[in-house]
Amino acid sequence: MIEYDYSEGELMDGFKDLRYEVLRILQMFTFAATSLATFSNIINKRPLNVIIQPVIATIFILVLLLFQKKSSRYKYISKLVFMTFFNIIYLPIAWIYSPGISSAIGYYAIITIVISVFFVEKRIEFIIPIFSMFFSIFMIRYELANPDYFTPFIDRTTKLNDVSINFAVVTFLLFAIITYINRHYVSEKERFYKQSITDELTGIFNRRYILSNIERLSTITNQDEFSVLFIDVNNFKEINDTYGHHVGDEVLIELGQLLQNNFDICGRFGGDEFIAITSDTKENKINRLSDSLKSEFEAYAHSNNFNNLSLSIGSTQSGNKSAAEMIKEADQYMYANKHKAFK
């Protein structure tokens, strides 16, 4: 069995869709986090002005989620509103009424800035996280210069509970987001790579990938010899002209499926021409494979009243040939066999 090589392929940019999916997940996590923060503040007997802050944020996130669910057209607006609210409104107010950097406010400032940078699509949007960064620096310096401004925790237990709970919330949120982004990246990378090596119509390999595999196999020093078959559909133009291109497409899809069922590696070279690779090199085995493919294809053609359809196949063995030499030789044998069949 010849193994095909899923080496590094092209990766298209799916970053924009990722942003909005992460935004949706982040909003749900933020809803849970602000609800937990409200609960934590109540347990720790924080002042009313501190308790009400996460309550407002929870209500805001809930409204935003319902707004997005109603219409997907407002994703960008929703993102800007989300970023603006937490960077320019919620974070400054929360910091001013917090116990200062001895509390968990620093954790939330960092995660707010980092996540906001991730959501930036246009340069002007950098203003939002930059504002939060400079505001946080200002508040840290202000607290160090005016330590009596901030209301301290009522006792060490309250401080311990507040910092530990919020640290766990922030850590879990970052863990969840990074894990999701990583999984999305891996799945998108695989999906786009497979798209880059697959023929869109037939679902088998495309010309570029099949040629690269022939080249790869021909350069492996310990690789056993292999055979390359060049397959052409006879009278295919008649199908397109008589029944339409959509029927012609169905014929090509069926041939692609037959090739997949019979060969280790196969691909569409272009139009109605296909290439197959097999580890068999003996002429009698190649002939049996070719005859079997022809019989299966002709049975399909006759069952659909495509009585003029048939296959011409030429083959060559690898030896010390390059990929281009093998394709050229198999193509020549295919045309020779075609001429013999239609004399």
Side-chain angles (χ1 to χ4, degrees):
M1 176 69 71
I2 298 176
E3 297 292 336
Y4 37 81
D5 177 29
Y6 277 110
S7 55
E8 193 72 22
E10 295 179 358
L11 178 62
M12 294 174 64
D13 184 17
F15 197 51
K16 187 172 182 178
D17 290 337
L18 174 60
R19 281 196 189 102
Y20 289 113
E21 184 60 23
V22 170
L23 175 64
R24 185 183 66 82
I25 293 172
L26 178 62
Q27 287 171 341
M28 291 191 293
F29 271 114
T30 305
F31 177 79
T34 52
S35 300
L36 183 61
T38 302
F39 181 69
S40 172
N41 288 337
I42 293 172
I43 290 178
N44 293 322
K45 300 178 181 179
R46 303 299 305 283
L48 181 61
N49 60 347
V50 174
I51 294 174
I52 202 170
Q53 293 166 28
V55 173
I56 294 173
T58 303
I59 295 171
F60 172 78
I61 293 297
L62 182 60
V63 171
L64 209 56
L65 284 169
L66 294 173
F67 177 71
Q68 286 179 193
K69 188 175 181 180
K70 185 177 180 181
S71 176
S72 60
R73 295 179 300 173
Y74 305 113
K75 285 182 179 180
Y76 183 73
I77 297 174
S78 176
K79 184 204 72 172
L80 286 182
V81 171
F82 182 80
M83 289 174 63
T84 302
F85 176 79
F86 278 94
N87 282 273
I88 299 178
I89 300 174
Y90 185 78
L91 180 63
I93 293 174
W95 199 311
I96 290 170
Y97 289 100
S98 74
I101 55 175
S102 62
S103 67
I105 191 64
Y107 304 152
Y108 286 104
I110 293 172
I111 194 172
T112 300
I113 294 168
V114 170
I115 291 176
S116 296
V117 171
F118 173 76
F119 286 135
V120 168
E121 294 180 59
K122 302 176 183 178
R123 290 183 180 179
I124 194 170
E125 294 173 24
F126 276 111
I127 293 174
I128 299 174
I130 288 173
F131 170 85
S132 289
M133 182 183 70
F134 280 106
F135 175 80
S136 298
I137 293 171
F138 170 79
M139 291 304 293
I140 291 170
R141 293 176 63 86
Y142 183 83
E143 180 178 351
L144 293 175
N146 303 275
D148 296 332
Y149 175 82
F150 294 90
T151 304
F153 289 100
I154 56 176
D155 54 51
R156 295 181 63 183
T157 302
T158 301
K159 180 179 179 180
L160 175 64
N161 291 336
D162 182 87
V163 174
S164 59
I165 290 173
N166 284 286
F167 177 82
V169 170
V170 171
T171 303
F172 179 76
L173 184 58
L174 278 174
F175 177 83
I177 291 173
I178 292 172
T179 300
Y180 179 81
I181 292 172
N182 182 60
R183 288 182 178 178
H184 178 89
Y185 170 77
V186 170
S187 63
E188 287 295 284
K189 180 180 179 180
E190 181 180 353
R191 182 171 71 88
F192 286 126
Y193 175 59
K194 287 184 176 180
Q195 284 182 352
S196 75
I197 65 174
T198 303
D199 178 65
E200 184 177 3
L201 175 64
T202 61
I204 60 177
F205 292 126
N206 58 22
R207 174 174 179 155
R208 181 180 63 175
Y209 185 76
I210 199 75
L211 291 179
S212 70
N213 261 274
I214 295 173
E215 195 66 55
R216 178 182 63 86
L217 291 169
S218 66
T219 56
I220 298 176
T221 55
N222 61 346
Q223 171 68 44
D224 294 333
E225 286 196 13
F226 59 95
S227 298
V228 174
L229 286 77
F230 201 100
I231 302 110
D232 179 74
V233 182
N234 300 320
N235 303 311
F236 179 72
K237 187 175 183 298
E238 292 182 12
I239 299 297
N240 284 335
D241 293 343
T242 305
Y243 301 101
H245 286 81
H246 65 287
V247 176
D249 289 347
E250 291 174 4
V251 172
L252 297 178
I253 292 169
E254 178 65 23
L255 178 54
Q257 187 61 54
L258 292 176
L259 286 167
Q260 278 189 315
N261 295 338
N262 286 278
F263 293 94
D264 301 334
I265 308 175
C266 59
R268 186 181 178 196
F269 190 71
D272 60 346
E273 296 176 330
F274 294 77
I275 291 176
I277 306 173
T278 178
S279 54
D280 291 319
T281 55
K282 292 183 179 180
E283 187 175 352
N284 62 333
K285 289 187 176 181
I286 297 299
N287 289 337
R288 282 202 300 268
L289 277 171
S290 299
D291 291 341
S292 175
L293 179 63
K294 288 179 181 179
S295 297
E296 290 181 34
F297 181 75
E298 287 173 12
Y300 158 76
H302 290 170
S303 68
N304 288 276
N305 296 318
F306 305 147
N307 297 319
N308 291 330
L309 280 186
S310 61
L311 298 179
S312 290
I313 302 175
S315 65
T316 187
Q317 285 69 50
S318 54
N320 294 318
K321 304 164 191 170
S322 67
E325 289 171 336
M326 280 183 276
I327 295 297
K328 182 179 179 180
E329 192 170 294
D331 186 33
Q332 289 172 343
Y333 282 127
M334 183 273 293
Y335 274 108
N337 291 334
K338 183 191 287 281
H339 291 165
K340 287 178 185 178
F342 288 93
K343 272 186 178 181

